[in-house]
Amino acid sequence: EYLTSQGSHVNRTEAAKAGERFYAAKPCPHDGDTRRYVSSGHCVTCSKRKGAERQKAIKALIAAAKLAP
């Protein structure tokens, strides 16, 4: 389980009640990270990686649009 700043172990429901952003869950099958967002339940590492991939795709679309006549 994830150790909060207050020193207590929490699950998703307890983390939400305590106002935490993250909680501990079983390891992600993609990278082994156990931290997940309380709001979505998604793995923190995967969420960051997917966000970076989206940003890269958006920048490529904008660059392509600027080159189009």
Side-chain angles (χ1 to χ4, degrees), residues 4-63:
T4 66
S5 56
Q6 291 84 19
S8 60
H9 295 285
V10 296
N11 62 30
R12 186 174 181 186
T13 303
E14 291 171 348
K17 288 178 182 177
E20 298 287 336
R21 252 183 104 184
F22 310 104
Y23 72 103
K26 63 181 180 178
C28 174
H30 302 287
D31 60 34
D33 192 358
T34 59
R35 293 176 309 138
R36 295 183 179 268
Y37 287 108
V38 169
S39 60
S40 66
H42 295 166
C43 167
V44 172
T45 304
C46 287
S47 294
K48 287 182 179 181
R49 186 187 74 249
K50 288 176 186 175
E53 290 170 359
R54 274 193 305 275
Q55 279 299 108
K56 187 176 180 180
I58 290 169
K59 285 182 181 182
L61 287 172
I62 291 171

